[in-house]
Amino acid sequence: MTVSLDLTAEGARDALRARSASAEKPSLIGLTRAELAEALVASGVVPERQAKMRVQQLWHWMYVRGVSDFAHMFNISKDLRAELDKHFTVARPEIVEEQVSSDGTRKWLFRFPPRGAGRPVEIETVYIPEEGRGTLCISSQVGCTLTCSFCHTGTQKLVRNLTTEEILAQLLTARDRLGDFPDRDTPDGAIVPAEGRKVSNIVMMGMGEPLYNFEAVKKALLIASDGDGLSLSKRRITLSTSGVVPNIARTGTEIGVMLAISLHATNDDLRDLLVPINKKFPLKDLIAACRAYPGLSNARRITFEYVMLKDVNDSLEDAKALVKLLKGIPAKINLIPFNPWPGTNYQCSDWETIEKFADTINNAGYASPIRTPRGRDILAACGQLKSESERMRKVDRLALEAMMIAGHGEA
């Protein structure tokens, strides 16, 4: 079902005016502490002697309390709040649409204002609630360059990289919508407890290839894991790459988060077809980079993602080849039932085939969970994200429903 936003006509006009104004002002979201201090001083809003104190105050309001309006920063003087508002913004992106799946999964369509001479762009972000955890799937690019043949997202051409602000804004806005920030009257110094958070984990598995937007993703994840702000554990942050080998080691040393590899095949011929980046970074180079991943251990395993495609990569021989390929790497192998989308030529492996595939891997000593498809009915499942700037026609939605009813991709 689609949840319509509760905006009155007057409220919608106010939101539009605020977005228009904020599009003309730089955002403080996504700046490092040093950059934030520099911006405040360079603008003349804050004298240099006060910069450190003001940075600490703003960091707390933006990332602990989740405030998106300077007017609500109550321990800052009214005059200074007015000056901050004149020069900067901490506003959220526009929520064009919010959809809620029958299984509780939520998908948001966000619209960001123009950057420079560009135009507004739209991206999708997905929240998956589970027992004991809530995972937010974040996008790093508008569109994608990788053209993986089984992925709906890959059929949308790359428009541009997202900025650090736009990556973080997905997390901040999701927490807003889920009521995951402290109440506005919480005393200074209060933090969101580690337990009970609605967003406990984030995965860079949305639209785009994170390692083709390395610097912005790095800054965003370091801010998300900052202990004095959003304070997400790096053990609860996973970055998924299709295999941009030169940036894999940098991910471990410079970001220090968990790594996932979008693998899907055990030989170069098939992976060239399924994941064309393999032609540039073949399996031997990818697996070597995984073996050398900084911090790799049994406690910090690499997750290998493997989409199950009927009669393509799902034989027992494929399972044995997968075990051989990953031998000696501390790893978990996520088996992903293929999620259908209109126009695809692939089908999901039969459930019995997936279970036998998983048994082969488990018997070799690897954890091999079968990912439960979530949010399929709102095209929020793995491989289904695509900016609504390329909106799905009604006939395509009906085609998807027919595919689901017929059992294609059923798990």
Side-chain angles (χ1 to χ4, degrees):
M1 62 177 175
T2 300
V3 177
S4 59
L5 299 179
D6 185 19
L7 287 177
T8 63
E10 182 178 356
R13 285 193 296 271
D14 289 343
L16 185 61
R17 284 193 293 270
R19 285 192 299 273
S20 177
S22 66
E24 301 170 3
K25 296 183 290 188
S27 178
L28 296 182
I29 295 169
L31 300 182
T32 65
R33 286 181 174 83
E35 291 169 340
L36 186 51
E38 183 180 354
L40 294 174
V41 173
S43 66
V45 172
V46 171
E48 190 168 356
R49 67 181 183 277
Q50 292 185 10
K52 184 176 180 180
M53 176 188 69
R54 298 305 184 189
V55 166
Q56 185 176 5
Q57 288 177 317
L58 288 166
W59 198 270
H60 175 87
W61 284 113
M62 289 189 296
Y63 299 128
V64 176
R65 303 280 283 279
V67 166
S68 57
D69 188 332
F70 293 113
H72 296 150
M73 299 181 178
F74 299 125
N75 65 345
I76 297 176
S77 72
K78 188 174 181 181
D79 289 344
L80 180 52
R81 281 182 270 160
E83 281 299 303
L84 286 166
D85 188 57
K86 186 186 298 183
H87 290 84
F88 304 107
T89 181
V90 287
R92 304 289 192 252
E94 176 186 0
I95 304 174
V96 178
E97 186 176 42
E98 179 180 54
Q99 293 177 279
V100 182
S101 168
S102 57
D103 63 23
T105 298
R106 290 174 181 260
K107 183 173 75 170
W108 293 283
L109 174 64
F110 294 134
R111 179 179 293 139
F112 293 102
R115 302 291 172 188
R119 59 182 183 179
V121 295
E122 297 176 350
I123 56 97
E124 292 183 331
T125 305
V126 174
Y127 173 69
I128 306 165
E130 300 174 271
E131 185 65 34
R133 63 191 284 168
T135 301
L136 190 69
C137 182
I138 294 177
S139 295
S140 58
Q141 297 179 309
V142 185
C144 189
T145 61
L146 298 186
T147 63
C148 297
S149 60
F150 57 87
C151 181
H152 192 218
T153 310
T155 64
Q156 181 183 347
K157 293 180 180 179
L158 179 70
V159 177
R160 67 168 173 83
N161 285 334
L162 293 177
T163 65
T164 301
E165 174 209 348
E166 291 164 338
I167 295 168
L168 277 173
Q170 297 171 66
L171 172 57
L172 296 174
T173 310
R175 291 187 64 182
D176 283 344
R177 295 294 298 167
L178 296 167
D180 206 21
F181 280 115
D183 292 339
R184 295 290 180 254
D185 60 353
T186 302
D188 282 351
I191 60 172
V192 179
E195 295 183 359
R197 284 188 176 185
K198 293 183 174 67
V199 179
S200 61
N201 297 60
I202 59 176
V203 292
M204 297 301 304
M205 295 183 184
M207 297 169 61
E209 166 55 62
L211 295 190
Y212 275 153
N213 188 16
F214 184 85
E215 293 300 334
V217 167
K218 171 185 169 180
K219 281 179 65 178
L221 295 185
L222 290 178
I223 291 173
S225 58
D226 186 284
D228 292 326
L230 291 162
S231 197
L232 281 163
S233 166
K234 289 185 179 181
R235 296 285 298 273
R236 290 179 175 268
I237 300 174
T238 301
L239 183 149
S240 176
T241 177
S242 292
V244 183
V245 169
N247 283 339
I248 287 178
R250 290 186 67 194
T251 300
T253 56
E254 297 179 32
I255 311 177
V257 295
M258 306 298 283
L259 180 68
I261 301 293
S262 191
L263 190 64
H264 313 305
T266 60
N267 63 77
D268 284 324
D269 288 342
L270 180 56
R271 197 163 190 270
D272 285 350
L273 173 66
L274 298 179
V275 190
I277 194 177
N278 193 72
K279 298 173 185 176
K280 187 173 183 180
F281 305 113
L283 276 171
K284 65 179 179 61
D285 297 333
L286 175 59
I287 297 303
C290 290
R291 293 186 187 280
Y293 189 66
L296 182 63
S297 67
N298 286 327
R300 293 177 61 85
R301 296 175 295 174
I302 293 175
T303 297
F304 290 89
E305 299 160 328
Y306 195 93
V307 66
M308 300 300 295
L309 302 170
K310 187 173 184 178
D311 300 327
V312 175
N313 65 351
D314 63 350
S315 69
L316 292 184
E317 288 72 25
D318 289 313
K320 294 173 184 176
L322 182 57
V323 169
K324 183 177 180 181
L325 180 69
L326 303 182
K327 185 176 181 180
I329 301 177
K332 178 175 74 171
I333 302 167
N334 268 357
L335 302 182
I336 306 170
F338 173 65
N339 294 304
W341 44 272
T344 182
N345 293 319
Y346 293 109
Q347 297 180 19
C348 182
S349 304
D350 299 328
W351 190 249
E352 183 180 358
T353 299
I354 297 175
E355 287 188 323
K356 289 180 179 178
F357 196 102
D359 287 343
T360 300
I361 296 171
N362 285 323
N363 291 337
Y366 287 100
S368 183
I370 301 170
R371 184 181 295 176
T372 303
R374 300 291 299 273
R376 278 181 168 180
D377 54 326
I378 57 171
L379 287 184
C382 182
Q384 289 185 317
L385 297 190
K386 187 170 181 181
S387 170
E388 289 290 309
S389 58
E390 297 191 4
R391 293 186 185 277
M392 181 170 289
R393 298 176 302 159
K394 182 178 180 181
V395 65
D396 289 335
R397 291 193 181 277
L398 293 174
L400 175 65
E401 292 173 7
M403 291 169 70
M404 298 298 290
I405 293 170
H408 296 299
E410 286 287 336

